Amino acid sequence: MLYLSARGYRAIAPDLRGYGDTDAPPSPSGYTAFHIVGDLVALLDALGLQQVFLVAHDWGALIAWCFCLFRPDRIKALVNMSVQFHPRHPEIKTLQRYRDLLGDDFYMCRFQKPGEAEEAFACEEITQVMKSLFSFRGGRPIVVPKELGLEVLFRAPAELPPWLTEEDINYFAAKFKKTGFTGGLNYYRAMDLSWELMGPWTGVEVKVPVKFIIGDADITYHVPGVEEYIHKGGFKKDVPDLEVVVMEGVAHFINQEKAEEVSHHIYQYITQILI
């Protein structure tokens, strides 16, 4: 935000519902892609902004893809990070696709039962949970066998990455102490409801210009089929106006791990679109 504002841009970073200082409805049914995109459209309306450049990461990236599908008229271009576009399968729900690919113990499937994941998150100090989440790197998708509690994700020794400070961790922890983790977990619990409601968008391409940035040590890059989708034509078919950047040795929290480089990529793409 500082990088772009220093170059004359207005940068806005809302807390999505369920996070930070924004309301956190308790029911998963309030967290479909339509609810979240609706919040963002309402925010643009409230600020009097007809069109924006959109930048997003992780769950924000999933919402950004939907924003571009639902309301491409509001987006000049998108810089998206870490999570590639997921075209809607016409017959198989989202969670079933993950179960078929990675089994019932894949973490997204383990997050479905209300209260279970919240209990696991509560087993450790929130600062330790934050450090563990930010320390995941490379290799394999996160799978936790049912005989193990989800809390094992947070019990491994976790060093603070050099690109984060104790002040950062304490800030995140303070926000989660206020809202809890249910809001964030409800995004996963609403995935199949979003799939049902998105039937009319089956097969629809993302029509806005997109720059996609991912690290080759990102766990999402190593989900079976993702690397092939990104590099062998599938991604380009679904997102025709696409530029892909793979950053070597960089993990999931790419926008924090390589903040200067990512900021430069965003700025360069905005100026490229405006030419």
Side-chain angles (χ1 to χ4, degrees):
M1 292 178 74
L2 292 174
Y3 188 103
L4 292 169
S5 61
R7 287 156 179 79
Y9 289 92
R10 181 184 184 187
I12 302 160
D15 292 339
L16 299 183
R17 69 167 64 190
Y19 287 98
D21 295 320
T22 294
D23 290 346
S27 172
S29 63
Y31 289 81
T32 71
F34 294 91
H35 288 87
I36 312 303
V37 172
D39 290 344
L40 295 172
V41 171
L43 176 63
L44 296 186
D45 289 345
L47 295 172
L49 300 171
Q50 181 55 37
Q51 271 199 327
V52 293
F53 290 99
L54 188 60
V55 178
H57 172 263
D58 192 73
W59 255 110
L62 287 167
I63 298 302
W65 291 123
C66 292
F67 200 150
C68 292
L69 287 177
F70 301 161
R71 294 301 303 272
D73 58 305
R74 305 303 293 267
I75 307 299
K76 293 178 183 177
L78 168 66
V79 178
N80 232 3
M81 288 172 275
S82 293
V83 179
Q84 81 288 350
F85 182 64
H86 289 75
R88 182 186 185 275
H89 194 286
E91 298 175 354
I92 305 174
K93 292 184 178 183
T94 303
L95 283 171
Q96 188 58 51
R97 291 181 72 185
Y98 281 120
R99 289 189 178 98
D100 292 345
L101 188 66
L102 298 165
D104 291 336
D105 294 336
F106 181 52
Y107 79 98
M108 291 188 190
C109 303
R110 293 290 309 273
F111 282 176
Q112 293 305 304
K113 184 178 178 182
E116 183 177 332
E118 287 91 336
E119 184 177 335
F121 276 76
C123 284
E124 298 291 337
E125 284 292 324
I126 295 183
T127 52
Q128 171 65 18
V129 172
M130 293 292 103
K131 288 178 183 179
S132 299
L133 291 174
F134 281 115
S135 298
F136 288 137
R137 295 187 72 85
R140 297 171 295 177
I142 301 170
V143 174
V144 183
K146 281 194 170 54
E147 58 268 22
L148 300 176
L150 286 167
E151 60 270 16
V152 300
L153 292 171
F154 315 123
R155 288 186 173 163
E159 296 293 326
L160 191 67
W163 37 269
L164 272 181
T165 66
E166 290 289 348
E167 184 181 4
D168 294 328
I169 292 294
N170 291 336
Y171 177 84
F172 297 140
K175 293 301 180 183
F176 278 109
K177 281 180 183 176
K178 176 185 174 184
T179 62
F181 289 95
T182 297
L185 291 163
N186 278 344
Y187 282 73
Y188 298 95
R189 295 165 183 163
M191 291 170 80
D192 278 353
L193 180 55
S194 289
W195 176 88
E196 291 178 16
L197 297 172
M198 287 181 67
W201 285 268
T202 303
V204 174
E205 296 175 352
V206 174
K207 298 290 190 178
V208 306
V210 176
K211 185 172 195 173
F212 179 73
I213 309 171
I214 193 169
D216 66 1
D218 191 328
I219 54 175
T220 63
Y221 194 60
H222 297 281
V223 171
V226 167
E227 190 173 353
E228 292 78 6
Y229 174 75
I230 290 173
H231 296 294
K232 294 189 176 179
F235 200 4
K236 183 73 173 176
K237 177 178 176 293
D238 295 325
V239 187
D241 193 348
L242 175 68
E243 178 181 337
V244 173
V245 175
V246 179
M247 297 180 71
E248 187 175 348
V250 184
H252 184 65
F253 295 96
I254 189 168
N255 50 318
Q256 291 161 291
E257 185 174 348
K258 294 293 182 182
E260 190 74 15
E261 292 95 324
V262 167
S263 294
H264 177 73
H265 276 297
I266 295 167
Y267 176 68
Q268 179 270 331
Y269 194 61
I270 289 173
T271 54
Q272 174 184 319
I273 294 296
L274 289 174
I275 292 173

